[in-house]
Amino acid sequence: MTTATAPPPGPRAGLRLGARLAEASWLPSALAVVGLLVLWEVAALTFLSGSKAFPPVTDVVGNVVDDHELYVRNLESTLRAVWIGWLYGNLLATAFGVVAVAVPHAERPALHLAVAISALPIIALGPIFQVSLQGDAPRAALAALAVFLTTMIGTIVGLRACDRTSLDMVRAFGGGTVTCLRKVRLRAALPDYFAALRISAPAAMLGGIIGEFIGGSDNGIGVALIAARAQADPARVWGLALVATLVAGAGYALIALVGRLLSPWAPRGLDGPR
């Protein structure tokens, strides 16, 4: 009695694996990051070995591992303020975007107001917030300002990117503006809305760190960066920058995952067909 054995993987299996790897939109970015880190390490150990401004990646990672308590403590302080600013800034921007679409005459004034708010220099607003607000509020306010315009425009573009035929059908059955918004526009807005939220995550992180640079906080990534610069510690400066970048990228990826789950019909790539 003979037993059946599975046939060896043929060229079709290799083609399927290649297709799956090609569909992984994160793979080119991951390879580019790894290549950049390798190039950085090689350059720091060869022709940039005499420069104190560019320590090897291994030294930067070693500094993060050895002083992980310092990194965790300052990162928690920054995220505590950034998270609040990101949340309230996006909620306010979403409300402005919905009103701008629901009330056509309000769209132009709302956009002008959003542009004016975003054009205000952070360097000037930071001291004002520090004088008028307390605790983490100044950093949170700057983080909220950093995300406001992006999310508002993403909300407006998304709500307007719906099928006109569906809108006409809802109106033909007696539906009004609220019904069109609830039945058609909200679902159509999810891809563009989550694209704006993805961009807002690194922007909020940057706004919070700039607020710490201006002052008014005892700890945080920005405060630690100032201290590391004063101590002429390039490994810690790069380590703090690397940690902030990784956290901002993690926020971007998490929001992208949630958007993928809530809008599976949306194109996977930035250049995919709509």
Side-chain angles (χ1 to χ4, degrees):
M1 181 177 181
T2 60
T3 57
T5 59
R12 291 181 179 272
L15 291 176
R16 287 196 297 269
L17 177 61
R20 291 179 181 177
L21 292 176
E23 291 177 357
S25 58
W26 54 267
L27 186 59
S29 300
L31 292 177
V33 171
V34 172
L36 180 61
L37 292 177
V38 171
L39 181 62
W40 179 1
E41 179 75 11
V42 173
L45 293 176
T46 55
F47 59 89
L48 290 178
S49 59
S51 175
K52 296 182 179 180
F54 294 96
V57 179
T58 50
D59 291 353
V60 175
V61 175
N63 186 276
V64 175
V65 174
D66 295 339
D67 298 334
H68 62 276
E69 293 182 357
L70 180 143
Y71 285 88
V72 171
R73 182 174 65 253
N74 288 283
L75 182 61
E76 287 178 349
S77 177
T78 298
L79 288 180
R80 184 174 62 246
V82 167
W83 159 251
I84 297 174
W86 180 88
L87 178 63
Y88 283 97
N90 283 320
L91 288 176
L92 187 61
T94 303
F96 267 72
V98 171
V99 171
V101 174
V103 184
H105 294 291
E107 179 177 358
R108 187 177 295 275
L111 284 174
H112 289 170
L113 178 62
V115 172
I117 292 175
S118 300
L120 293 174
I122 294 180
I123 300 299
L125 290 177
I128 296 175
F129 288 156
Q130 290 167 11
V131 172
S132 57
L133 302 176
Q134 297 179 353
D136 295 332
R139 293 181 292 170
L142 292 176
L145 286 177
V147 307
F148 183 80
L149 180 62
T150 300
T151 302
M152 180 179 172
I153 293 179
T155 302
I156 294 176
V157 172
L159 291 175
R160 294 195 179 282
C162 59
D163 183 21
R164 298 297 176 184
T165 304
S166 300
L167 289 177
D168 293 339
M169 183 175 296
V170 171
R171 294 192 183 100
F173 282 94
T177 302
V178 177
T179 304
C180 291
L181 182 66
R182 183 167 54 89
K183 295 289 187 180
V184 181
R185 292 190 184 275
L186 289 180
R187 184 178 186 274
L190 288 180
D192 292 303
Y193 182 67
F194 275 99
L197 291 183
R198 291 201 304 268
I199 299 173
S200 70
M205 191 73 178
L206 179 61
I209 293 176
I210 291 177
E212 294 169 350
F213 265 112
I214 297 173
S217 179
D218 296 331
N219 49 22
I221 295 294
V223 177
L225 279 170
I226 295 175
R229 183 186 61 183
Q231 297 169 1
D233 190 350
R236 179 164 295 176
V237 171
W238 281 104
L240 290 166
L242 180 62
V243 168
T245 302
L246 290 176
V247 172
Y252 182 99
L254 179 61
I255 296 173
L257 177 61
V258 174
R260 178 75 57 82
L261 295 176
L262 295 181
S263 56
W265 65 88
R268 294 193 175 186
L270 293 177
D271 299 328
R274 297 191 61 86

